[in-house]
Amino acid sequence: GAVVSQHPSWVICKSGTSVKIECRSLDFQATTMFWYRQFPKQSLMLMATSNEGSKATYEQGVEKDKFLINHASLTLSTLTVTSAHPEDSSFYICSARGKISVKNTEAFFGQGTRLTVV
Amino acid sequence: AQSVAQPEDQVNVAEGNPLTVKCTYSVSGNPYLFWYVQYPNRGLQFLLKYITGDNLVKGSYGFEAEFNKSQTSFHLKKPSALVSDSALYFCAVRDLYGQNFVFGPGTRLSVLP
């Protein structure tokens, strides 16, 4: 399957600082990227969907000014957590998908980023 | 609206025994159904999918799933469980032109030696 690389795998930051997480599709063009947040022992919560070259579409309740998403190229999307607070500590996962077709249906996931805000 | 239910938070099975992880879904139109597995502090790995065709789908690591339209179910199965299968399993659904996947709450599988 296709490879999605997410970096960093884990990060610890001080409260009030900003953290950037990168998501790269290594061997395909990701026309759509998704950012999820996962709390312990819970399912994935979709935060936003981004299409290359367009503004991200945020899910209800997700602060777009706090979670900045950029999808500037077909292989890279970034999530920046601005002015991080301890309650932002979580596991963040990106996924990417190429152009929709009958055969191309599944999304591929990065390995996740464990963010801890102290 | 699409939704996915995984009625069991936890499934315990002895190594060598068959395992089943249950999933039911609700979607308008024909569903695209998926199973993913997640190991601790890792992203999700794709196991298998149902798009069309045979109701029994075979996937990675010896897993298979059966699509049952009348029961709106897509249960994940494996004939003989391994300790290394212990992980968190997610069922997901997407409609044909939908952007997003809707994930179930996850089922933690523990295979006991």
Side-chain angles (χ1 to χ4, degrees):
Chain A
V3 180
V4 175
S5 177
Q6 191 172 337
H7 178 80
S9 297
W10 60 270
V11 58
I12 301 173
C13 71
K14 291 184 177 180
S15 186
T17 62
S18 296
V19 174
K20 180 184 285 188
I21 302 170
E22 292 188 347
C23 181
R24 294 179 184 273
S25 57
L26 299 185
D27 53 1
F28 69 103
Q29 293 185 326
T31 53
T32 306
M33 285 191 172
F34 307 89
W35 286 95
Y36 296 87
R37 183 172 180 177
Q38 186 180 30
F39 292 99
K41 298 184 180 181
Q42 293 190 28
S43 189
L44 283 70
M45 181 192 78
L46 179 67
M47 299 174 66
T49 302
S50 71
N51 293 299
E52 185 265 340
S54 306
K55 289 185 177 181
T57 301
Y58 289 81
E59 295 299 300
Q60 191 172 9
V62 179
E63 298 177 61
K64 61 181 180 181
D65 294 330
K66 181 169 185 61
F67 298 100
L68 300 178
I69 292 172
N70 184 282
H71 191 168
S73 77
L74 283 171
T75 59
L76 174 64
S77 177
T78 60
L79 167 66
T80 301
V81 183
T82 62
S83 187
H85 290 283
E87 57 265 30
D88 298 325
S89 299
S90 191
F91 194 58
Y92 293 87
I93 304 175
C94 74
S95 74
R97 194 175 66 204
K99 185 177 179 181
I100 293 177
S101 67
V102 173
K103 293 183 178 181
N104 175 26
T105 54
E106 68 265 38
F108 301 95
F109 287 79
Q111 63 268 49
T113 297
R114 170 75 59 195
L115 170 63
T116 302
V117 184
V118 298
Chain B
Q2 302 166 76
S3 66
V4 178
Q6 292 179 243
E8 301 155 317
D9 292 336
Q10 174 92 31
V11 170
N12 297 320
V13 64
E15 186 175 29
N17 282 0
L19 68 87
T20 299
V21 182
K22 296 180 180 178
C23 170
T24 58
Y25 66 91
S26 175
V27 64
S28 56
N30 294 322
Y32 285 1
L33 296 159
F34 305 83
W35 276 101
Y36 287 87
V37 59
Q38 184 182 33
Y39 295 97
N41 292 310
R42 301 297 299 273
L44 275 65
Q45 295 180 32
F46 170 75
L47 278 180
L48 51 80
K49 64 182 177 182
Y50 171 82
I51 304 302
T52 186
D54 290 341
N55 290 341
L56 185 63
V57 178
K58 294 187 182 298
S60 306
Y61 313 119
F63 284 94
E64 58 188 28
E66 186 168 11
F67 171 63
N68 187 316
K69 188 173 183 178
S70 63
Q71 297 184 6
T72 61
S73 67
F74 189 56
H75 302 331
L76 181 70
K77 299 181 180 182
K78 187 173 182 179
S80 179
L82 300 173
V83 173
S84 57
D85 293 330
S86 299
L88 189 58
Y89 289 80
F90 290 100
C91 181
V93 66
R94 182 172 75 77
D95 61 30
L96 176 59
Y97 296 109
Q99 282 271 54
N100 183 32
F101 289 74
V102 174
F103 286 90
T107 298
R108 187 164 299 281
L109 172 67
S110 292
V111 181
L112 309 174

